[in-house]
Amino acid sequence: MKNIVVAIFLLSPFCVFANEFEEVLTAFATNEAREIASNADIIKAINEQNIKNNDLTEAQILALDVEWRSKIGEADAKIITEKLNSPIAQKLVEIQNKSEGTITEVFIMDNKGLNVAQSAITSDYWQGDEDKWQKTYLMGPNTYHISDVEEDESTQMFQSQVSHSITDPSTGKVIGAITIGINVEEL
């Protein structure tokens, strides 16, 4: 009977579990992620894409996202290779490689939630409908979001995504966001 009561409690909406990695991920968000987000080259790349994509409509954004998802795994995937092969993407790859397996992916997003550059292929192009963008970019400067730990379909690892808003220091305005996948098994 005791096991049944415990099981009911554990499955109830009143039982709240803190992410066991929350403390270290919060420290990462407020230190390393914030530092990466303040990189001048990252800020420049986001500003450039914000200007380029200023007039995109919601329908165009959704069409780009569909195109991205349809091109994953194809050799002729210009929309994806542009985001993986740019100089800023190479900087993100360096950040990932220096982590020796702790960082599984790094990608930056613009003011519409579209990928600007990334260290590895993401499962979609538009992040604007997800917490990683909505709970950072839309919330203002110096905000971060830590996702639940789950198996990521892009990386096939158990990870938490640490996201942080990116602010242009010359204007003080939020211009985009960064997401960093953390392999919690390496913490």
Side-chain angles (χ1 to χ4, degrees):
M1 180 70 171
K2 181 179 176 185
N3 288 342
I4 293 172
V5 171
V6 170
I8 290 170
F9 175 74
L10 291 175
L11 296 174
S12 80
F14 304 108
C15 182
V16 178
F17 290 101
N19 177 337
E20 68 182 281
F21 303 101
E22 188 172 352
E23 187 175 329
V24 70
L25 292 171
T26 297
F28 183 88
T30 57
N31 295 306
E32 287 90 343
R34 177 186 276 171
E35 182 180 332
I36 295 167
S38 66
N39 178 280
D41 293 331
I42 289 175
I43 291 167
K44 180 181 178 204
I46 294 171
N47 278 328
E48 288 173 356
Q49 183 162 306
N50 285 345
I51 291 167
K52 177 184 168 194
N53 291 341
N54 186 54
D55 295 328
L56 281 181
T57 65
E58 184 178 343
Q60 291 169 318
I61 290 169
L62 294 174
L64 287 168
D65 192 50
V66 168
E67 178 185 356
W68 179 282
R69 287 184 276 128
S70 73
K71 295 291 186 178
I72 293 175
E74 291 187 14
D76 180 29
K78 182 180 177 188
I79 189 170
I80 295 173
T81 57
E82 283 179 350
K83 304 303 176 190
L84 287 171
N85 296 329
S86 68
I88 197 66
Q90 296 312 305
K91 184 178 285 282
L92 300 179
V93 168
E94 288 174 23
I95 291 167
Q96 181 177 337
N97 289 342
K98 286 180 183 177
S99 79
E100 298 179 353
T102 302
I103 294 176
T104 59
E105 63 183 342
V106 183
F107 55 97
I108 53 175
M109 299 156 275
D110 66 12
N111 63 359
K112 296 187 183 322
L114 294 170
N115 294 347
V116 174
Q118 58 210 64
S119 66
I121 296 174
T122 56
S123 56
D124 55 357
Y125 180 49
W126 182 52
Q127 314 300 325
D129 60 339
E130 299 178 36
D131 284 348
K132 65 185 70 137
W133 187 80
Q134 292 178 350
K135 292 188 176 183
T136 57
Y137 175 81
L138 294 178
M139 303 307 283
N142 296 315
T143 57
Y144 64 89
H145 175 261
I146 299 171
S147 74
D148 291 333
V149 175
E150 53 189 39
E151 185 174 16
D152 181 77
E153 71 179 77
S154 299
T155 63
Q156 299 297 304
M157 295 179 197
F158 285 95
Q159 72 172 21
S160 178
Q161 290 184 327
V162 174
S163 301
H164 201 288
S165 61
I166 298 178
T167 304
D168 185 332
S170 67
T171 64
K173 294 183 179 180
V174 177
I175 58 169
I178 186 168
T179 294
I180 304 168
I182 304 293
N183 179 353
V184 296
E185 296 170 20
E186 293 292 322
L187 295 177

